């Protein structure tokens, strides 16, 4: 019955972005018993047509808006000159735009200032179904190459550990006592 309803209503067709049955994805195939969707994270899910017919269904049409968002925080050294920061930000946007399946509108901007770092947020969207692991690998490699080419250093978490010999510790403790406490 569910297949009959879907076929007669023609609620969606191949290539439409639909949301229903607890899922959201691009329709790859509509069969008599089930519909195959590619979800926003690139996985293929087979959904029984009965489930789609019994639920509220939203058809977004061809996926013009839908895509895969990717956002990355990049920390650079806090002593990076402003001109280098600006040049790095422009280069990040260009690197994002060069990625396979990247959509227009990549953005990068200085987002936070910390004690040892400047944090730049880089983000944008890719077409639905893009392999984000491969894209992220390529993009991060391009970010490293860009930083090296511009002479921009990444911020590294730092901590200082001081080792004091036991004899020196006693000597230091005695020197820091107040005169009344030393007697």
């Amino acid at each position: 019955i569910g297949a009959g309803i879907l076929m007669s209503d023609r609620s969606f067709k191949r290539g439409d972005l639909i949301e229903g049955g607890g899922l959201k994805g691009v329709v790859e195939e509509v069969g008599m018993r089930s519909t195959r969707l590619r979800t926003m994270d690139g996985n293929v899910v087979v959904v029984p047509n009965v489930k789609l017919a019994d639920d509220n269904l939203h058809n977004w049409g061809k996926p013009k808006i839908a895509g895969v968002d990717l956002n990355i925080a990049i920390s650079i050294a806090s002593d990076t000159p402003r001109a280098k920061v600006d040049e790095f930000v422009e280069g990040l946007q260009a690197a994002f735009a060069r990625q396979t399946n990247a959509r227009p509108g990549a953005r990068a901007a200085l987002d936070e200032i910390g004690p040892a770092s400047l944090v730049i947020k880089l983000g944008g969207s890719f077409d639905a179904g893009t392999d984000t692991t491969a894209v992220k690998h390529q993009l991060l490699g391009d970010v490293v190459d860009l930083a090296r080419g511009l002479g921009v250093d990444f911020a590294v978490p730092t901590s200082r550990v001081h080792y004091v010999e036991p004899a020196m510790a006693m000597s230091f403790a005695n020197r820091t006592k107040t005169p009344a406490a030393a007697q």
Side-chain angles (χ1 to χ4, degrees):
I1 296 173
I5 293 170
L6 288 178
M7 295 297 207
S8 65
D9 284 352
R10 298 187 190 264
S11 304
F12 52 84
K13 60 188 175 304
R14 185 173 185 205
D16 285 348
L17 174 66
I18 64 168
E19 189 170 3
L23 295 167
K24 184 176 185 178
V26 176
V27 177
E28 288 198 340
E29 182 180 334
V30 181
M32 288 299 292
R33 296 182 51 200
S34 63
T35 297
R36 189 168 61 192
L37 298 177
R38 182 164 302 273
T39 62
M40 306 300 19
D41 58 5
N43 294 318
V44 175
V45 179
V46 178
V47 185
N49 288 339
V50 171
K51 187 173 184 179
L52 293 172
D54 288 344
D55 197 8
N56 291 329
L57 188 66
H58 190 107
N59 186 344
W60 298 94
K62 295 285 182 203
K64 297 172 189 156
I65 302 171
V68 179
D69 289 339
L70 183 62
N71 295 296
I72 302 170
I74 302 164
S75 297
I76 61 174
S78 61
D79 62 350
T80 305
R82 171 67 186 268
K84 285 275 187 209
V85 171
D86 292 343
E87 191 175 0
F88 188 58
V89 165
E90 288 175 25
L92 290 172
Q93 286 177 276
F96 197 105
R98 284 192 304 270
Q99 301 306 309
T100 303
N101 296 332
R103 292 183 167 189
R107 62 210 172 279
L110 185 60
D111 189 62
E112 294 178 34
I113 299 174
S117 67
L118 303 173
V119 180
I120 297 169
K121 293 286 176 88
L122 171 63
S125 295
F126 293 91
D127 292 339
T130 298
D131 179 356
T132 55
T133 302
V135 167
K136 193 171 183 180
H137 174 83
Q138 181 65 41
L139 179 59
L140 291 176
D142 292 350
V143 168
V144 169
D145 290 346
L146 176 65
R148 285 187 181 146
L150 294 175
V152 171
D153 294 323
F154 292 106
V156 246
T158 58
S159 59
R160 294 183 182 173
V161 177
H162 298 281
Y163 177 74
V164 179
E165 294 285 337
M168 290 177 67
M170 288 301 273
S171 168
F172 179 76
N174 288 335
R175 282 185 284 156
T176 58
K177 290 183 180 178
T178 61
Q183 294 175 354

